[in-house]
């Protein structure tokens, strides 16, 4: 489920017990921001939202037959427990422009350790610069064992040491009080966006948060697009909508607008599948699966598998518990044979039963 062309996704190993296939797959899809659907050939697609396109027309119960067409609703299911109307997108980090920080307020003639505002990275010219009264100091990095990364008082050549992880500058000689001290560097600027669906917020009366993470995305427009895809699918929960229309041109993966004033359906949905049914005379009926894919059949299979195991409603993800459970429930089938000797004598037909173990009678047989 990790995009093959993206190498910046890092996931810990996840194990699910007593969870539906829908929830397991949706947890991965929510993080990556990708979309999933099944086409006419029953092939599962899992692609970036940039590969999605808008449908050539919308569906409405009051169509104008130009931009909207008539349709019929077969089923409309909504799972409110999975609703998301506010998405936090965490993208990659990019270097800021050269930043000059004024450190003069920390100079008092005794203080030799100054604190920086951000984690320092090299400036656009490939260096970090420290100035005292306009004079640039010889810079080294801490910790370091080379002479250039030791202060002069420690036998090195550096007049100031920078510790990028601790956000500090350590001076060989504390700058005098009133000195002008500055540092020029760049810092990492993360891409963080928040996209909301205000109609859904008013419907539920609160924000229901979700998150996406992809540190290969630096473009805000791409980030907004991925967040919008998640809102399309889950602004009102996991919505599964099955409709029929009679106009060609729709395919799986497109975003289509649906309006039905009687049922109160107003929104854009992802087309998950399109099934074609010929009606004769060159007329076709198209059955569309919209919103979240209907995983009912897969869930049934998962439940049947679960029913073959002892009932356990706990949703554990710990490997050790699963291993222990399997160890406690190891069962096997064994059987054994025993031998006993029995001596049989001869049987004779007589007029009167003698009751000596040798009587023979109609219907009796022996080997």
């Amino acid at each position: 489920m990790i995009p093959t062309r993206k190498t910046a996704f890092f996931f810990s190993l996840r194990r699910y017990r007593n969870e539906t296939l829908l929830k397991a797959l949706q947890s991965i899809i929510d993080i990556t921001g990708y979309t999933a659907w099944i086409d006419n050939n029953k092939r599962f697609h899992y692609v970036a939202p940039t590969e999605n396109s808008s449908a050539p027309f919308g569906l409405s119960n009051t169509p104008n037959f130009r931009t909207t067409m008539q349709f019929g609703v077969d089923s409309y299911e909504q799972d409110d427990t999975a609703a998301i109307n506010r998405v936090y997108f965490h993208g990659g980090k990019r270097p800021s422009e050269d930043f000059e920080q004024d450190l003069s307020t920390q100079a008092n003639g005794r203080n030799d350790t100054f604190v920086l505002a951000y984690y320092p990275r090299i400036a656009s010219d490939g260096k970090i610069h420290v100035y005292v009264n306009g004079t640039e100091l010889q810079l080294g990095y801490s910790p370091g064992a080379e002479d250039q990364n030791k202060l002069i008082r420690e036998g090195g050549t550096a007049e100031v040491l920078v510790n990028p992880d601790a956000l500090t500058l350590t001076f060989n000689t504390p700058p005098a009080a009133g000195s002008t001290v500055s540092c020029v560097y760049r810092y990492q600027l993360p891409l963080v966006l928040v996209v909301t669906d205000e109609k859904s917020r008013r419907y539920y009366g609160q924000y229901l948060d979700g998150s996406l993470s992809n540190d290969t995305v630096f473009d805000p427009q791409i980030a907004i697009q991925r967040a919008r895809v998640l809102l399309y699918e889950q602004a009102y929960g996991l919505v599964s909508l099955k409709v029929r229309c009679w106009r060609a041109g729709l395919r799986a993966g497109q975003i289509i607008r649906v309006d039905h004033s009687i049922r109160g359906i107003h929104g854009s949905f992802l087309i998950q599948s399109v099934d074609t049914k010929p009606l004769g005379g060159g007329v076709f009926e198209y059955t569309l699966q919209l919103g979240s894919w209907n995983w009912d059949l897969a869930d049934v299979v998962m439940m049947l598998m679960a029913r073959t195991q002892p009932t356990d409603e706990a949703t554990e993800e710990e490997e050790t518990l699963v291993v222990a459970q399997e160890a406690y429930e190891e069962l096997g089938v064994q059987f054994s044979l025993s031998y006993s000797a029995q001596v049989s004598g001869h049987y004779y037909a007589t007029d009167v039963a003698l009751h000596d173990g040798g009587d023979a009678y109609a219907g009796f047989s022996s080997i």
Side-chain angles (χ1 to χ4, degrees), residues 40-85:
N40 301 21
N41 299 318
K42 308 303 180 184
R43 292 180 298 181
F44 182 80
H45 292 263
Y46 177 68
V47 299
T50 54
E51 299 183 24
N52 293 330
S53 60
S54 298
F57 56 86
L59 301 177
S60 174
N61 64 324
T62 56
N64 59 21
F65 297 100
R66 295 188 307 274
T67 58
T68 58
M69 299 295 167
Q70 62 181 347
F71 74 107
V73 178
D74 289 344
S75 65
Y76 179 61
E77 300 177 357
Q78 183 174 349
D79 180 9
D80 288 343
T81 61
I84 295 176
N85 53 30

Side-chain angles (χ1 to χ4, degrees), residues 1-20:
M1 290 297 294
I2 307 303
T4 55
R5 288 177 292 177
K6 301 295 183 182
T7 59
F9 290 98
F10 298 96
F11 288 85
S12 59
L13 183 61
R14 298 189 178 193
R15 297 179 175 84
Y16 295 92
R17 295 175 55 214
N18 296 325
E19 297 288 3
T20 63

Side-chain angles (χ1 to χ4, degrees), residues 221-242:
Q221 294 303 318
I222 295 178
I224 292 174
Q225 186 179 30
R226 293 197 178 182
R228 288 297 182 192
V229 169
L230 182 58
L231 291 177
Y232 283 146
E233 295 180 334
Q234 294 185 237
Y236 295 91
L238 289 176
V239 178
S240 179
L241 179 62
K242 188 177 182 180

Side-chain angles (χ1 to χ4, degrees), residues 322-339:
V322 177
V323 173
Q325 181 185 17
E326 293 176 352
Y328 296 150
E329 296 181 0
E330 288 183 355
L331 301 176
V333 178
Q334 299 184 17
F335 68 96
S336 60
L337 301 175
S338 61
Y339 171 80

Side-chain angles (χ1 to χ4, degrees), residues 3 6 8-11 27-34 87-92 191 210-217 226 230:
K6 301 295 183 182
F9 290 98
F10 298 96
F11 288 85
S27 65
I28 302 298
I29 294 173
D30 288 349
I31 296 174
T32 61
Y34 274 44
V87 179
Y88 289 88
F89 188 96
H90 301 274
L191 174 62
S211 64
L212 295 174
S213 178
N214 183 354
D215 59 9
T216 65
V217 175
R226 293 197 178 182
L230 182 58

